[in-house]
Amino acid sequence: MPAAHRPGLRVDSRLTIPEAELTWRFSRSSGPGGQGVNTTDSRAELVWDVAGSGALTPVQRERLLERLSGRVVDGVLTVTASEHRAQLHNRNAARARLAAVVAEALRPPSPSRRPTRPSRGSEERRLKAKKRRTDVKRLRRPPDD
């Protein structure tokens, strides 16, 4: 796909990865396709150098490298797609997957949980229910004569 048709991979409203920073590799897929699987390079790998990207701010780069540390090897993030028979569909799937992975990693962390205590009424209701259950089970026992 020429870069003229696609200016870049839009991740969110603040980040678009330039097409020049994305590298494609193709190989034979193990997915569906019958005998054609043996002859066509339908598996698509999309490679993006996170550490050397000029599209990221230093804060974004640090957050991506930290959150994707299990997926990033030597500063490079690789996403593969092989679920479709056609290479074009796998290319589109890999682009969508990369955008989703990066967007999820860039999402700001959720606020930490504020510790709370159960209300006095809820504790009393819980203890009454436990007592009721204890009484029910005690009534099921055989009498101790």
Side-chain angles (χ1 to χ4, degrees), residues 113-123 125-126:
R113 181 187 172 276
R114 276 185 45 205
T116 58
R117 291 188 56 202
S119 65
R120 187 184 304 158
S122 69
E123 282 193 16
R125 285 189 298 274
R126 181 179 64 86

Tab-separated table of all heavy atoms in Angstrom, residues 113-123 125-126:
chain	number	residue	atom	x	y	z
A	113	ARG	N	-8.291	2.880	44.194
A	113	ARG	CA	-9.507	2.638	44.954
A	113	ARG	C	-9.420	3.321	46.311
A	113	ARG	O	-8.416	3.208	47.015
A	113	ARG	CB	-9.680	1.127	45.156
A	113	ARG	CG	-10.932	0.777	45.912
A	113	ARG	CD	-10.940	-0.717	46.232
A	113	ARG	NE	-12.032	-1.046	47.105
A	113	ARG	CZ	-12.019	-0.943	48.424
A	113	ARG	NH1	-10.935	-0.500	49.020
A	113	ARG	NH2	-13.061	-1.276	49.158
A	114	ARG	N	-10.490	4.016	46.648
A	114	ARG	CA	-10.563	4.612	47.985
A	114	ARG	C	-11.055	3.552	48.952
A	114	ARG	O	-12.109	2.958	48.746
A	114	ARG	CB	-11.560	5.764	47.982
A	114	ARG	CG	-10.971	7.062	47.498
A	114	ARG	CD	-11.953	8.207	47.626
A	114	ARG	NE	-12.646	8.214	48.912
A	114	ARG	CZ	-13.827	8.754	49.095
A	114	ARG	NH1	-14.473	9.304	48.095
A	114	ARG	NH2	-14.386	8.749	50.282
A	115	PRO	N	-10.314	3.295	50.020
A	115	PRO	CA	-10.772	2.266	50.953
A	115	PRO	C	-12.050	2.710	51.668
A	115	PRO	O	-12.175	3.866	52.070
A	115	PRO	CB	-9.609	2.126	51.937
A	115	PRO	CG	-8.755	3.320	51.744
A	115	PRO	CD	-9.035	3.870	50.385
A	116	THR	N	-12.994	1.806	51.766
A	116	THR	CA	-14.259	2.105	52.434
A	116	THR	C	-14.530	1.034	53.486
A	116	THR	O	-13.944	-0.042	53.445
A	116	THR	CB	-15.428	2.115	51.434
A	116	THR	OG1	-15.483	0.843	50.786
A	116	THR	CG2	-15.261	3.211	50.402
A	117	ARG	N	-15.432	1.361	54.408
A	117	ARG	CA	-15.831	0.396	55.424
A	117	ARG	C	-17.307	0.099	55.255
A	117	ARG	O	-18.078	0.976	54.880
A	117	ARG	CB	-15.609	0.978	56.822
A	117	ARG	CG	-14.131	1.145	57.157
A	117	ARG	CD	-13.957	1.533	58.597
A	117	ARG	NE	-14.608	0.539	59.468
A	117	ARG	CZ	-14.995	0.782	60.701
A	117	ARG	NH1	-14.845	1.979	61.223
A	117	ARG	NH2	-15.545	-0.162	61.424
A	118	PRO	N	-17.711	-1.128	55.570
A	118	PRO	CA	-19.139	-1.434	55.516
A	118	PRO	C	-19.889	-0.600	56.562
A	118	PRO	O	-19.357	-0.330	57.638
A	118	PRO	CB	-19.227	-2.917	55.862
A	118	PRO	CG	-17.836	-3.440	55.889
A	118	PRO	CD	-16.911	-2.276	55.934
A	119	SER	N	-21.115	-0.236	56.246
A	119	SER	CA	-21.890	0.548	57.204
A	119	SER	C	-22.288	-0.331	58.397
A	119	SER	O	-22.257	-1.562	58.316
A	119	SER	CB	-23.154	1.095	56.536
A	119	SER	OG	-24.010	0.031	56.178
A	120	ARG	N	-22.649	0.318	59.474
A	120	ARG	CA	-23.030	-0.426	60.675
A	120	ARG	C	-24.256	-1.294	60.392
A	120	ARG	O	-24.342	-2.447	60.823
A	120	ARG	CB	-23.340	0.533	61.818
A	120	ARG	CG	-23.574	-0.190	63.128
A	120	ARG	CD	-23.976	0.750	64.254
A	120	ARG	NE	-22.976	1.795	64.430
A	120	ARG	CZ	-23.231	2.967	65.024
A	120	ARG	NH1	-24.436	3.228	65.477
A	120	ARG	NH2	-22.286	3.869	65.155
A	121	GLY	N	-25.205	-0.747	59.637
A	121	GLY	CA	-26.416	-1.501	59.314
A	121	GLY	C	-26.109	-2.744	58.485
A	121	GLY	O	-26.682	-3.810	58.723
A	122	SER	N	-25.204	-2.622	57.508
A	122	SER	CA	-24.897	-3.781	56.667
A	122	SER	C	-24.174	-4.862	57.477
A	122	SER	O	-24.410	-6.054	57.275
A	122	SER	CB	-24.047	-3.369	55.465
A	122	SER	OG	-22.750	-2.998	55.868
A	123	GLU	N	-23.327	-4.453	58.420
A	123	GLU	CA	-22.664	-5.450	59.276
A	123	GLU	C	-23.689	-6.163	60.155
A	123	GLU	O	-23.624	-7.388	60.332
A	123	GLU	CB	-21.597	-4.784	60.141
A	123	GLU	CG	-20.328	-4.497	59.388
A	123	GLU	CD	-19.165	-4.139	60.313
A	123	GLU	OE1	-19.263	-4.407	61.531
A	123	GLU	OE2	-18.176	-3.611	59.791
A	125	ARG	N	-26.901	-6.602	59.522
A	125	ARG	CA	-27.701	-7.499	58.669
A	125	ARG	C	-26.924	-8.770	58.338
A	125	ARG	O	-27.483	-9.874	58.359
A	125	ARG	CB	-28.104	-6.789	57.382
A	125	ARG	CG	-29.213	-5.766	57.583
A	125	ARG	CD	-29.739	-5.249	56.261
A	125	ARG	NE	-28.724	-4.544	55.469
A	125	ARG	CZ	-28.431	-3.255	55.586
A	125	ARG	NH1	-29.086	-2.503	56.475
A	125	ARG	NH2	-27.501	-2.701	54.842
A	126	ARG	N	-25.634	-8.630	58.063
A	126	ARG	CA	-24.811	-9.796	57.753
A	126	ARG	C	-24.730	-10.735	58.952
A	126	ARG	O	-24.897	-11.950	58.826
A	126	ARG	CB	-23.406	-9.333	57.349
A	126	ARG	CG	-22.481	-10.480	56.980
A	126	ARG	CD	-21.120	-9.974	56.580
A	126	ARG	NE	-20.414	-9.311	57.651
A	126	ARG	CZ	-19.665	-9.913	58.558
A	126	ARG	NH1	-19.532	-11.225	58.551
A	126	ARG	NH2	-19.049	-9.228	59.502
